[in-house]
Amino acid sequence: MQVFTRVQEMQEWSLQQKRLGKKIGLVPTMGYLHDGHLSLVRRAKAECDVVIVSIFVNPLQFGVGEDYEEYPRDLTRDAALLEKEGVEATFAPSVKEMYPQGYSTTIEVGGEITAKLCGKSRPGHFKGVTTVVSKLFNICLPEVAYFGQKDAQQAMIIEKMVRELNFPLRIVRGPIVRESDGLAMSSRNVYLNEEERKSALVLSQALGLARELIENGETSVGKVKEAMINLINSKPFTDIDYVEIYNGEDLSDLAEIKGKVLVALAVRVGKTRLIDNLLLEV
Ligand code: AMP
């Protein structure tokens, strides 16, 4: 596996692969890899000729007071995992390489899709995401790029950006990979102490409760949200950021639970902000 840290070298390698007629798959990550990331890598390996995994903790998508500095990093371990998966190239640039002195260009997706959920509680976050992902697309030249349903809103926004800016590539969404007890895998789970780890289970439990209520015929957005909120608040160390139910195609408001529905939540457990979601066809 080749590890690139320079934009120009990564781009030249990608161009060369394209000239050879290879289909490039890209899996963008912030590293500290777990099975959620690796599930996307395996899918890319199965569907493409060559796979690039990018590892970059993108400062633009972290707000003031968020965990940019503490975010876990271990490139040696990540590279060993990717080597084992048979990945052809890892792109792990420095911040200076991606955003040299004087850098000032931003890509921003408009509409309510970026204004709700994490867009509301983390102002500027998605601008940082779409800016770095646009750069990664131009550097790595993928035919297919892989994103996790774990970050459902992010995937929706990137799909919209690809459509509206005519990026010549396809987005594939992979399902949420969970620990055996249901907690969605996340690099941030390492922040949790033993007690918080127990409370963190309530995110997937609240989604399970929502599924149950909806499958039993509940159509009231308010009632499902209330039941979820009550369950989450019954656990120690939890502090709800949001519990929302929106149209699963475009995040528009729902008069009732019907059609493609996204149930999404963000909860602080101790100091750790966790997200999870459930996409349902009702
Ligand atoms: P991150 O490193 O957290 O930025 O995630 C990189 C990619 O992996 C994103 O597309 C995430 O949605 C995806 N991902 C993260 N956690 C999971 C998970 N538990 N299951 C599936 N995909 C995930």
Side-chain angles (χ1 to χ4, degrees):
M1 183 179 71
Q2 303 218 48
V3 179
F4 295 97
T5 57
R6 309 308 296 253
V7 167
Q8 197 188 333
E9 285 168 16
M10 183 73 254
Q11 202 175 39
E12 273 167 10
W13 186 87
S14 303
L15 269 172
Q16 177 62 12
Q17 297 302 315
K18 286 207 94 69
R19 281 191 208 104
L20 292 169
K22 306 280 189 192
K23 174 177 174 181
I24 301 174
L26 171 67
V27 184
T29 81
M30 298 204 296
Y32 214 72
L33 303 177
H34 51 66
D35 275 336
H37 300 115
L38 296 182
S39 69
L40 298 175
V41 170
R42 287 171 196 145
R43 175 112 183 241
K45 279 295 294 177
E47 296 176 354
C48 302
D49 299 317
V50 291
V51 172
I52 305 173
V53 177
S54 63
I55 296 178
F56 181 61
V57 185
N58 174 32
L60 290 194
Q61 70 189 72
F62 287 78
V64 184
E66 291 187 355
D67 59 343
Y68 174 69
E69 304 291 342
E70 300 84 30
Y71 198 85
R73 294 159 168 93
D74 189 344
L75 186 57
T76 311
R77 174 176 163 278
D78 288 347
L81 286 169
L82 295 175
E83 178 98 58
K84 222 165 88 191
E85 297 295 332
V87 165
E88 280 74 14
T90 293
F91 179 49
S94 66
V95 171
K96 251 177 132 179
E97 182 70 10
M98 288 295 268
Y99 305 118
Q101 185 82 45
Y103 182 93
S104 62
T105 299
T106 300
I107 302 294
E108 182 173 6
V109 171
E112 64 181 349
I113 198 172
T114 43
K116 292 176 167 179
L117 306 176
C118 292
K120 192 167 165 193
S121 36
R122 303 181 70 188
H125 169 67
F126 286 120
K127 273 201 277 186
V129 170
T130 42
T131 298
V132 80
V133 168
S134 299
K135 286 173 68 72
L136 291 170
F137 287 170
N138 285 331
I139 295 163
C140 301
L141 309 173
E143 210 168 307
V144 191
Y146 295 82
F147 291 88
Q149 180 61 22
K150 162 85 190 329
D151 300 272
Q153 187 181 17
Q154 169 175 280
M156 292 166 81
I157 289 169
I158 289 166
E159 284 163 5
K160 185 170 160 78
M161 176 184 83
V162 164
R163 258 193 330 269
E164 296 189 347
L165 292 182
N166 311 101
F167 278 100
L169 54 90
R170 195 161 56 81
I171 300 296
V172 167
R173 274 200 229 182
I176 302 178
V177 177
R178 299 179 178 281
E179 302 288 354
S180 55
D181 62 2
L183 178 68
M185 288 193 183
S186 164
S187 307
R188 290 191 168 96
N189 290 349
V190 295
Y191 297 148
L192 301 168
N193 67 30
E194 206 177 310
E195 292 302 302
E196 291 166 346
R197 175 67 183 73
K198 280 184 202 153
S199 283
L201 255 193
V202 80
L203 278 88
S204 57
Q205 286 167 349
L207 293 171
L209 174 62
R211 180 196 285 278
E212 197 184 306
L213 291 170
I214 294 167
E215 283 177 355
N216 286 328
E218 183 56 72
T219 57
S220 158
V221 169
K223 282 194 182 146
V224 175
K225 275 166 55 171
E226 191 188 330
M228 294 174 73
I229 289 167
N230 288 338
L231 177 65
I232 296 163
N233 285 337
S234 73
K235 307 287 176 189
F237 317 113
T238 59
D239 178 15
I240 295 175
D241 179 350
Y242 62 74
V243 172
E244 299 290 357
I245 304 176
Y246 289 129
N247 182 311
E249 302 277 5
D250 58 6
L251 298 190
S252 57
D253 291 338
L254 290 173
E256 57 168 353
I257 297 176
K258 201 177 148 194
K260 200 169 176 187
V261 166
L262 182 75
V263 185
L265 72 174
V267 178
R268 219 165 256 103
V269 181
K271 285 193 171 127
T272 309
R273 185 177 175 280
L274 300 174
I275 60 171
D276 202 346
N277 70 83
L278 171 68
L279 192 60
L280 284 174
E281 187 69 51
V282 185

